Amino acid sequence: MLRVAVVGSGPSGVYCAQTLVQQDSTVLVDVLDRLPCPYGLVRYGVAPDHEKIKSLQNTLRTVLEHERVRFLGGVQIGAGGVPAARLRKMYHAVVYCVGAATDRHLGIPGEDLPGSFSATEFVSWYSAHPDALADGFVLGARSAVVIGVGNVAVDVTRILARGAAELSPTDMPHAALTALTASRVGVVHMVGRRGPSQARFTTKELRELGSLPDAEVSLDSDELALDPAYADPSALPAAQRRNVEVLRGWAAEPAKGLPRRIRLRFFLRPVEVLGDGGRVDAVRFERTLPDGRGGVRGTGRYEDVEAQLVLRSVGYRGVPLEGLPFDPATGTVPHLAGRVVRGGVVAPGEYVAGWIKRGPTGVIGTNRPCAKETVLSLVEDAAVLVRMDVPDDPLTALRDLGVEPVEWSGWRAIERAEAELGASLGRRTVKLPDWEALRAAARGAS
């Protein structure tokens, strides 16, 4: 009987568990997570108004309720928790699916001024991540700048531009809903340093910006025309061509006079976040032009865009996990088909999947083939791995270390508490926003 620990209960971790029980009829899988709640970025990264995508939790739930899969939340691996070397002795194999836990920085002056945040911090706040520290994002803000043109940038732009009636039915924490309802942000600038044909958002996400009932999209036709592919997008790959076609359609529409405006800007590179009285009041951009090689070059011409709120959305990055090798250049764990490589040699029984394996690329579905590759490597190694002596039940070994995991019954108690909170507020399910509330709910406390 093979015992496997999967560290991380987001899509990559759950897909690993699913593939394991499909490939081996005797394997027992413990899915460990630092948080008391499962589902990873599906719970804490997918925007609350994307209910169809969030319904993926139902698929992940089916896996975590499998008779040979066990969820163990509230288990920290690495620094301040169970050492990776100790965990390795509790299981025949360990698969790390720990994602990319931090965001990239712009590296420009003023980036850390009050009022300037990463999009990750903003998403954590409106998603009720218990580690979220920042708040007051929209307090006093009339104009916001979102730096980046990927799907996360579109998400935060859309949330800023939505009205209370659209956000209230979501599971957004009540404090965030209250703040966004009272927001006076009237214009959101979403800015990219390259052209529209090189933007990273998907067409489906982009189109949503044009369907918000109280917001309109505006563009600068002259700015769009700087992209050589804008006039004739027929040679572009399908995804980029559809994006340009949507933008061309919007550029031709007259203004509607709606209360909120989303300004899509291109060929502007941020060079400084400007402050007045110690707080953000504008972002300085340099105008760029295509360099003929797929990149851009600066022109030495600058533009200041007013903003009391700045959100940078320029990508995620993996961070080292104590006890595992790490490549700082790629932000990933070195591996060979998912097998962890230490000093050029495969480490028996240690594996990776998801963003910590391949970097923060792809969509949720990309995790399926990624997980399958890793699990097939593990299954190939199983005949050797199973010879290792491990505890009869790793849960007992964890408890001997002073760890008291949140089991599935504890998670179900959290779900009930969130449903009760929503009912008390006249809403549907509302997420519990902090560690104390989650732990109390998991214990069955009121």
Side-chain angles (χ1 to χ4, degrees):
M1 181 185 297
L2 188 70
R3 280 195 174 274
V4 178
V6 173
V7 181
S9 66
S12 63
V14 176
Y15 291 152
C16 280
Q18 183 180 44
T19 308
L20 277 164
V21 295
Q22 290 171 344
Q23 293 285 327
D24 186 330
S25 61
T26 64
V27 68
L28 297 177
V29 183
D30 284 348
V31 179
L32 282 59
D33 202 291
R34 183 177 67 87
L35 300 174
C37 309
Y39 311 136
L41 280 179
V42 177
R43 176 175 167 90
Y44 289 118
V46 174
D49 60 339
H50 273 178
E51 294 189 8
K52 185 174 181 180
I53 302 175
K54 291 178 76 68
S55 68
L56 176 63
Q57 292 183 11
N58 297 326
T59 302
L60 304 181
R61 173 190 296 276
T62 300
V63 178
L64 293 174
E65 289 182 335
H66 190 283
E67 62 182 357
R68 288 184 283 117
V69 177
R70 179 169 57 179
F71 173 70
L72 301 176
V75 180
Q76 173 76 36
I77 305 300
V82 179
R86 189 70 175 268
L87 184 70
R88 176 69 188 88
K89 294 179 180 179
M90 297 180 189
Y91 294 89
H92 295 113
V94 180
V95 186
Y96 291 93
C97 307
V98 292
T102 191
D103 57 275
R104 294 183 183 275
H105 290 257
L106 296 169
I108 61 175
E111 184 173 8
D112 296 322
L113 278 171
S116 173
F117 306 89
S118 71
T120 306
E121 292 174 293
F122 188 57
V123 170
S124 293
W125 172 67
Y126 69 59
S127 297
H129 195 294
D131 286 342
L133 297 175
D135 59 9
F137 291 92
V138 296
L139 187 63
R142 302 177 307 279
S143 174
V145 165
V146 177
I147 299 172
V149 284
N151 279 347
V152 175
V154 174
D155 279 347
V156 299
T157 296
R158 191 182 63 253
I159 292 296
L160 284 168
R162 275 211 186 278
E166 303 156 71
L167 294 175
S168 183
T170 73
D171 62 4
M172 180 179 286
H174 208 62
L177 175 65
T178 301
L180 288 167
T181 298
S183 167
R184 297 178 60 193
V185 173
V187 58
V188 184
H189 307 264
M190 191 171 78
V191 188
R193 63 185 176 88
R194 297 194 291 178
S197 68
Q198 297 167 311
R200 302 296 296 274
F201 42 62
T202 58
T203 308
K204 182 180 178 181
E205 290 259 0
L206 176 63
R207 283 191 177 123
E208 283 188 84
L209 294 180
S211 63
L212 303 180
D214 295 320
E216 62 181 309
V217 178
S218 68
L219 303 101
D220 184 327
S221 295
D222 292 338
E223 199 168 78
L224 295 170
L226 296 173
D227 189 331
Y230 180 73
D232 180 11
S234 59
L236 291 172
Q240 285 79 14
R241 184 179 69 250
R242 288 192 294 267
N243 285 344
V244 171
E245 288 169 350
V246 169
L247 295 171
R248 283 161 57 99
W250 286 344
E253 292 179 359
K256 301 173 185 176
L258 295 175
R260 296 187 183 89
R261 190 157 53 108
I262 297 169
R263 292 204 66 196
L264 300 186
R265 306 292 309 276
F266 296 96
F267 292 112
L268 291 172
R269 176 166 56 201
V271 295
E272 185 175 0
V273 178
L274 306 174
D276 180 24
R279 185 175 176 84
V280 168
D281 72 343
V283 181
R284 178 161 294 163
F285 292 94
E286 181 183 16
R287 168 66 65 197
T288 62
L289 289 173
D291 64 4
R293 300 185 301 275
V296 292
R297 59 178 176 82
T299 63
R301 293 185 287 117
Y302 299 89
E303 176 182 342
D304 292 352
V305 177
E306 178 196 351
Q308 296 78 41
L309 169 63
V310 176
L311 299 174
R312 67 174 183 273
S313 180
V314 291
Y316 293 94
R317 182 171 178 80
V319 296
L321 181 69
E322 187 177 275
L324 282 184
F326 186 74
D327 181 355
T330 62
T332 60
V333 171
H335 70 93
L336 182 63
R339 297 177 176 93
V340 172
V341 173
R342 293 178 179 271
V345 179
V346 168
E350 293 182 308
Y351 304 84
V352 285
W355 279 1
I356 200 63
K357 170 187 174 184
R358 67 180 191 274
T361 60
V363 294
I364 289 174
T366 311
N367 290 293
R368 279 193 181 277
C370 174
K372 184 175 182 179
E373 179 191 55
T374 294
V375 169
L376 291 180
S377 292
L378 193 161
V379 170
E380 287 178 8
D381 303 340
V384 174
L385 298 174
V386 77
R387 299 172 192 165
M388 174 183 167
D389 289 330
V390 298
D392 290 336
D393 187 353
L395 180 55
T396 302
L398 287 169
R399 286 174 172 155
D400 287 345
L401 294 176
V403 178
E404 191 54 53
V406 174
E407 298 186 64
W408 194 249
S409 59
W411 160 239
R412 295 304 304 273
I414 291 172
E415 286 188 306
R416 289 192 296 272
E418 293 184 334
E420 291 166 2
L421 175 60
S424 72
L425 295 169
R427 297 172 58 196
R428 297 192 300 214
T429 296
V430 173
K431 286 180 182 174
L432 297 174
D434 57 68
W435 282 100
E436 183 179 355
L438 290 168
R439 287 169 176 150
R443 292 192 300 266
S446 60

